[in-house]
């Protein structure tokens, strides 16, 4: 069974940095686009950044220049380096990936359970 597991969340002061990781595990045939989304209290889930298997990047305007997404295809892992964090970055961050499992004939969208990032002094 395919699953995504995030790590790296926590409490950080404004201006600080955190690095999130998300590892895909299970019987995986292939992984397409991977990304990070976030949901702040009382708000809808929003895209933060995505990266394709070929390395094409996409960022939300609100994080451009501060966040960097990367992936290690050999480890089936995606990362989100977050610098210059602001209180408005506080949210639950979710990992997302489009994965073809070995038992499936088509790609499916998978989500992690989320990791909380709190930016506060």
């Amino acid at each position: 069974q395919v699953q995504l597991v995030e790590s790296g969340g926590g409490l950080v002061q404004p201006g600080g940095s955190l690095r999130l990781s998300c590892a895909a595990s299970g019987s995986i045939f292939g992984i397409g686009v991977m990304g990070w989304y976030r949901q702040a209290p009382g708000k809808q889930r929003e895209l933060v950044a995505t990266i394709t298997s070929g390395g094409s990047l996409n960022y939300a305007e609100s994080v451009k220049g501060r966040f960097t997404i990367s992936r290690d295809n050999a480890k089936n892992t995606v990362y989100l380096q977050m610098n210059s964090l602001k209180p408005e970055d506080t949210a639950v961050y979710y990992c997302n990936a489009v994965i073809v499992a070995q038992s499936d004939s088509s790609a499916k969208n998978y989500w992690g359970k989320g990791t909380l990032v709190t930016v506060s002094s």
Side-chain angles (χ1 to χ4, degrees):
Q1 183 165 345
V2 174
Q3 61 177 354
L4 300 177
V5 178
E6 303 105 333
S7 61
L11 173 65
V12 63
Q13 291 186 342
S17 298
L18 279 176
R19 189 192 194 209
L20 305 183
S21 299
C22 171
S25 62
S27 300
I28 295 171
F29 177 77
I31 303 177
V33 63
M34 304 183 81
W36 292 93
Y37 292 71
R38 67 186 181 186
Q39 187 167 17
K43 295 188 176 181
Q44 290 188 331
R45 191 174 298 188
E46 63 177 5
L47 179 146
V48 176
T50 61
I51 181 170
T52 67
S53 57
S56 295
L57 309 177
N58 182 44
Y59 292 97
E61 285 296 325
S62 60
V63 306
K64 281 183 178 178
R66 300 187 299 121
F67 291 10
T68 301
I69 189 170
S70 61
R71 65 190 282 173
D72 184 333
N73 291 329
K75 296 182 178 179
N76 291 337
T77 299
V78 63
Y79 306 96
L80 186 68
Q81 178 65 45
M82 303 184 294
N83 299 328
S84 302
L85 282 160
K86 305 175 181 179
E88 52 263 43
D89 294 317
T90 295
V92 178
Y93 284 71
Y94 295 92
C95 176
N96 174 264
V98 176
I99 297 174
V100 180
Q102 290 184 357
S103 59
D104 292 332
S105 58
S106 61
K108 293 181 180 178
N109 201 27
Y110 290 86
W111 291 92
K113 293 183 178 180
T115 184
L116 178 62
V117 172
T118 303
V119 185
S120 176
S121 55

